[in-house]
């Protein structure tokens, strides 16, 4: 079935507010990978300042509102997101 | 520099910091796994806090302690304020606030290194200095975020949008509940409650093997500093000078205050090191969220890549030499 | 509660559990890195198993041991059976089977905490109680999976599909080869083979620093419990009551059995704690795969967020007070 | 060249049977990231109950059969998958 | 806005030269997940020989040159990449 | 095999290696978290290197040491050369070069196991043998990469492209700055500088708990070997025979050299084990990048899944029995 996947790269410190935002949209699933280096070529892994990758899969219908909110969030706090449409299993 | 100081510099943990610097500069792929590095920092905070709490439970509240903590609080409010005014002349207000918070706060690992140094010199100090560390951590963050908020509201009045404003309550909450900070507080309290019997059971973990774990942490810090200093672009000499001169000024200020308050040599030395140190774990983590407009590579880079190695390699032995002269 | 009990509660590791609860409730971003937490659980299982094996190698097979292990086996079969019948009245058979497995099995960390408690009280116990722990781990899982399979085949007869059926052999294999379970078994065996000389070499690792590592594990558990209990939705009082009342009932049952079998105070106490404890590491990992129809947030949430803290904070001291009275 | 990428979020405990399933389809490559939190908003990181992210890249031709098998697997054990088509390097 | 995402699976030992290559293309963001198992069904996690996943997000305009370089790199050293187009936030 | 040898095999750490093999073969989901395993390998390298450096600082440069290191260097150049010529008859030049590098270099964990074995036997040896380990690590890699480069240029002459050529400077840099290798060197140097006073402070970390950490590392190795040996496809008996026969031949060669040079029993034994061992951490990491044309499952698989367990389980006790006879 039709689904959308949103991948977000942000600073580790932003994971809690970001997942609170995600939870409000009730996506089918997401996972958080913490402790990474790389974002914006400024990313630095340190006990205090690493980056995170969040992968979200949701119904295409709900992706528009999620992306609007993400846009505001990421422009405010920094970070990058990428969305694609595709085929989902168990995404409803 | 006399023999005992030379021997102090050949401490294995400090040499592993040098080695990390070297490995980073020759672009070795040596790295301490991320989660191990994070755990090592939690371990060090826990053991600082816990041991501080235990000493506190032994000495109780003394006049010496009240004086030391008062001096710490004064430093915690004055340093970020003057640093901000200095920085504001050259930088946008967000970067100025973030860097002021970094230098107004303290570095727990610099503190641990200074404690190990004192112990090798056989100079005693009060366990309550861990409380000073805790007290000096937050005020700078809170002041910086308040300043950033003021700047944001002004730009709203001037026609901007208020979107970016972070409520003070939220930031106080962030600063207080930040993991590293809270762990330090919690361990202090638990150390205070459980006292010497608790410490006996924990000693092999928090004392016997501490040096070995610190060694790996400093190795990781050396690697990070090398990597960071390659990327650091300070745009002119102002910030480079700031990252060395302000710690020295803070050290002088703290030493004067310690003398005026009549603190002992050990306490005065640790207060000086705390004032001279800049945060690179707790503050960057909070500020990245609270002042996202600021450039992390500046506040984090200066603190980690310039001030931290300066204090570890030159500052600590120098402050000690000078203070021993003054107190001697 | 007398002084020695109070002192037992101010054990640093337990206080770090409280602290983790607090940090979780104020939504601190404090967290123990994932892989560290996993390693801590492997470490604790290894050291339980190894020490159990070494004691076994010292005592050999005794009558006391045979009695204690027989009592353990009885509990391991009776508890999941009655729990399933109780749960079946209110829940679908899959959730009932999964929760029955959880409460029929045991928690290794609750056991370690109880052992540390006994040691602080100066009460001796048999090293073979680690064998009891191993014996009580699996029967509940196997019974639950068999029950779930029966339910699935019935629904096939009733017109469903047999797709979901998990072969008994496969589940036995899963339960036996589950990492945590196998490590416990393997360490027990290796401890038995290498005996005291092997233990001497390992002691600094498995005994001296254990308290410190347990402290971090319990801190993580506190954080997890706080996070879990925010999410836990039990739909009415039945499951909340179950998560407290069943452990108490199991404790009473185990105490009665221990008395009937004439076990010593230490062994009786540990048997009681094992019966009262619910699994939140081994069983959820196996059941998630073997009974995927069951709701993980129920079986895992009840066990971790209700029963585990109940046992750690209230259960252990209470069971001890009562047993000391009865055995006194 | 034309390739398909399938991303799967499941419980950690399911990684072994899942990779056995994947191996039967001989995809060009996959990697497994374990110890995550998040799936289905039920995900909980604990020593016993974390989530995993599996990223698979395969030839588009083989993706249909893989997705059919995945569908059965995920509906049986829980978890979510997402597939997109795109351009691959060394995927043959 | 229009963006491209490139996902790369390689041996851990190749991460440093790979990120040096990426840096030359100045993508909007990337993150590196190390210590994985799985690539090419040969992947083996060991202290000396694990795999890595690198996720890159960049402007679609710059993706062609990046992919050409990646192709040469991966054909030389081994490893697989996958690119998709989609919608990006803060990718410019 | 006499009693003391039997007891040596029931060392807990070795038994955990067996246990890991077993768990891997029954397809248990037991696993040591990735980053922990990596940290354990860094820890072991650091403690080998550091202790070696400290002994060196005690003994200074002696004739015995000069002899042992000369023997080590001879082995380090001869073994990869003859191994390559042997392999070239059956394999393409890239696989031949990669496997020659693996067997020409050494395994640090096999060395640690041999050191622990010697200590249990009460046989002394020179701390400079850690220097021999370091010296024997790199020549094989460099030779192999040079060979691969020669092959590549020939194929260019024959009409291929030069794309694949890796500059010698780059490879020397890679081999020298590889994290594991550099850490060993750096720790050796720091151990040498800080000497006994530094060691006293680090001892609880690098000596007391080493056995426990080694145990988890060997458990992980057992799991890896089991997993690897399932995948290993050697296409005919040649490579399987190679992976056992070449280590034995190297052991014989090293023993002869040690006898000729008049080394003591302990040093001769460690030299023999080093020669017989094959690298599975440092070399594969460098070769994967430097000779990407080679099949990692061959060079890594043979070294880890065949030669490593052979040396740990049979080689070490056998070499010791033979050498004790010869030196007796
Ligand atoms: N490592 C990082 N993690 C998260 N956000 C970052 C990072 N580095 C920079 N940013 C933010 O990303 C945005 C754009 O960064 P840049 O394009 O590099 O200037 C800014 O708002 C930064 O605050
Ligand atoms: N954390 C998780 N990891 C894997 N599967 C899960 C998880 N949580 C729930 N599931 C499964 O996902 C499916 C749908 O979950 P939900 O939509 O949240 O009810 C169910 O079959 C659950 O067993
Ligand atoms: N685990 C791995 N990580 C990175 N590259 C690999 C891995 N395994 C194989 N390769 C490379 O991937 C390419 C194709 O592998 P294969 O299709 O499995 O033969 C070869 O050039 C190998 O060197
Ligand atoms: Na300061
Ligand atoms: Na139970
Ligand atoms: Na060798």
């Amino acid at each position: 079935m039709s689904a959308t996947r949103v991948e977000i790269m942000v600073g580790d410190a932003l994971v809690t507010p970001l997942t609170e935002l995600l939870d409000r949209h009730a996506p089918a699933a997401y996972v958080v990978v913490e402790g990474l280096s790389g974002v914006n070529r400024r990313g630095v892994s340190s006990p205090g300042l690493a980056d995170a990758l969040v992968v979200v899969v949701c119904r295409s219908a709900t992706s528009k509102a999620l992306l609007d909110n993400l846009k505001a969030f990421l422009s405010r706090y920094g970070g990058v997101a990428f969305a694609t449409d595709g085929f989902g299993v168990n995404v409803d | 520099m006399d023999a005992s100081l030379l021997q102090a510099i050949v401490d294995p943990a400090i040499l592993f910091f040098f080695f990390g610097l070297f490995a980073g500069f020759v672009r070795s792929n040596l790295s301490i796994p991320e989660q191990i590095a994070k755990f090592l920092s939690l371990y060090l905070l826990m053991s600082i806090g816990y041991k501080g709490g235990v000493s506190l439970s032994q000495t109780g509240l003394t006049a010496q302690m009240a004086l030391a903590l008062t001096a710490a609080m004064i430093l915690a409010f004055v340093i970020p304020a003057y640093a901000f005014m200095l920085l504001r002349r050259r930088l946008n207000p967000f970067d100025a606030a973030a860097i002021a918070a970094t230098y107004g706060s303290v570095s727990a690992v610099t503190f641990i290194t200074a404690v190990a140094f004192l112990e090798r010199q056989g100079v005693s100090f009060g366990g309550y200095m861990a409380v000073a560390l805790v007290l000096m951590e937050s005020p700078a963050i809170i002041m910086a975020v308040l300043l950033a908020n003021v700047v944001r509201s002004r730009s709203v009045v001037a026609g901007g949008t208020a979107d970016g404003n972070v409520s003070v309550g939220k930031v106080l909450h962030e600063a207080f509940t930040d993991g590293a900070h809270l762990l330090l507080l919690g361990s202090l309290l638990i150390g205070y409650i459980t006292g010497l019997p608790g410490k006996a059971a924990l000693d092999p973990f928090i004392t016997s093997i501490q040096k070995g774990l610190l060694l790996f942490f400093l190795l990781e810090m050396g690697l990070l500093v090398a990597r960071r200093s390659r990327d650091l672009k300070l745009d002119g000499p102002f910030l480079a000078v700031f990252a060395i001169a302000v710690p020295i000024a803070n050290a002088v200020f703290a030493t004067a205050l310690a003398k005026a308050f009549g603190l002992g040599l050990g306490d005065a030395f640790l207060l000086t090191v705390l004032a001279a140190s800049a945060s690179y774990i707790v503050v960057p983590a909070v500020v990245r969220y609270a002042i996202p407009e600021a450039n992390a590579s500046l506040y984090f880079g200066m603190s980690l890549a310039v001030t931290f190695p300066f204090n570890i390699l030159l500052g600590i032995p120098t402050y000690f030499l000078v203070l021993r002269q003054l107190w001697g």
Side-chain angles (χ1 to χ4, degrees), chain A, chain B:
Chain A
M1 79 231 48
S2 161
T4 298
R5 170 186 180 287
V6 184
E7 191 163 50
I8 308 156
M9 301 177 191
V10 285
D12 243 354
L14 299 170
V15 165
T16 311
L18 176 62
T19 53
E20 284 172 3
L21 185 159
L22 294 178
D23 286 339
R24 287 201 293 277
H25 291 270
Y30 65 82
V31 288
V32 182
V33 190
E34 294 185 80
L36 307 178
S37 61
V39 167
N40 285 319
R41 283 146 298 123
R42 288 224 201 112
V44 55
S45 297
S46 97
L49 208 64
D51 293 309
L53 177 73
V54 180
V55 182
V56 188
V57 173
C58 63
R59 293 216 249 168
S60 297
T62 62
S63 72
K64 220 200 135 321
L66 170 61
L67 274 164
D68 280 346
N69 275 310
L70 263 182
K71 216 166 179 167
F73 182 92
L74 295 176
S75 302
R76 170 80 185 83
Y77 294 118
V80 164
F82 180 85
T84 24
D85 285 320
F87 171 83
V89 176
N90 277 6
V91 188
D92 52 352
Chain B
M1 208 177 277
D2 60 20
S4 73
L5 274 177
L6 236 159
Q7 208 196 331
I9 289 179
V10 303
D11 178 64
I14 303 287
L15 289 180
F16 271 95
F17 178 70
F18 272 106
F19 170 59
L21 283 177
F22 172 78
F25 282 123
V26 301
R27 296 176 178 264
S28 168
N29 63 358
L30 181 61
S31 73
I32 308 298
E34 198 62 49
Q35 301 194 9
I36 300 289
K38 192 177 173 195
F39 180 69
L40 291 176
S41 75
L42 296 178
Y43 164 82
L44 292 172
L45 291 166
M46 187 280 279
S47 57
I48 279 186
Y50 189 82
K51 288 179 198 168
V54 172
S55 333
L56 215 59
S57 79
Q58 298 312 106
T59 58
L61 214 141
T62 63
Q64 273 293 307
M65 175 181 158
L67 286 171
L69 297 187
T70 308
M73 283 308 280
I74 294 175
L75 292 165
F77 281 96
V78 174
I79 294 176
Y82 98 82
F84 179 74
M85 288 185 289
L86 207 66
L87 290 157
R88 193 58 195 87
R89 298 168 178 217
R90 304 285 188 120
L91 300 176
N92 68 60
F94 297 113
D95 281 334
I99 299 176
T102 306
Y103 282 83
S105 187
V106 295
S107 152
V109 176
T110 309
F111 179 78
I112 291 181
T113 312
V115 164
F117 183 93
L118 267 191
E119 282 167 354
R120 284 196 304 276
Q121 305 298 325
V123 174
S124 70
F125 61 93
Y128 47 77
M129 290 310 291
V131 184
L133 165 70
V134 173
L135 285 182
M136 290 175 79
E137 232 181 13
S138 323
I141 307 176
I142 294 159
M143 287 175 68
V145 176
L146 293 182
L147 283 169
N149 267 13
V150 168
V151 175
R152 276 189 211 105
S153 1
R154 277 200 199 142
S155 67
V156 175
V157 173
T161 88
D163 259 34
N165 234 331
V166 175
S167 90
V168 179
K170 216 169 169 181
V171 167
L172 284 175
H173 182 262
E174 280 299 306
F176 176 72
T177 63
D178 175 76
H181 192 201
L182 196 58
L183 180 59
L184 196 57
L185 276 174
S187 307
L188 191 91
L189 188 68
I190 295 176
Y192 183 78
I193 297 173
T194 55
L196 280 189
K199 181 155 184 290
L202 281 178
D203 233 30
F205 185 65
I206 62 177
T207 302
S208 309
I209 65 171
Q210 195 198 38
K211 186 68 141 218
L213 293 171
L214 179 60
L215 170 169
F216 271 107
F217 191 77
L218 285 178
L219 171 56
E220 165 73 0
M221 287 297 106
L223 290 165
L224 259 183
V225 166
R227 227 173 293 151
R228 243 11 228 172
S229 60
R230 277 205 302 265
D231 301 346
L232 193 59
K233 279 175 202 68
L234 295 181
D235 293 332
F238 175 69
L239 291 178
V241 171
F242 182 97
I244 303 283
V246 163
I248 295 178
N250 293 346
V252 171
F253 182 21
T255 303
L257 212 61
K259 196 79 195 162
F261 278 47
L263 303 186
L265 174 59
D267 292 5
F269 171 70
L270 291 179
L271 192 73
T272 299
V273 171
L274 283 172
S277 75
S279 172
Y280 59 88
I281 297 184
V282 177
V283 175
V286 176
V287 163
R288 196 183 200 178
Y289 171 66
I291 317 181
E293 299 90 343
N295 183 344
S297 81
L298 283 188
Y299 59 82
F300 180 67
M302 288 165 61
S303 157
L304 179 71
V306 185
T307 306
F308 176 69
F310 168 74
N311 277 322
I312 294 292
L313 304 180
L314 292 178
I316 287 180
T318 310
Y319 307 146
F320 185 74
L321 270 186
V322 172
L323 267 81
R324 203 176 46 182
Q325 216 61 33
L326 293 175
W327 261 249

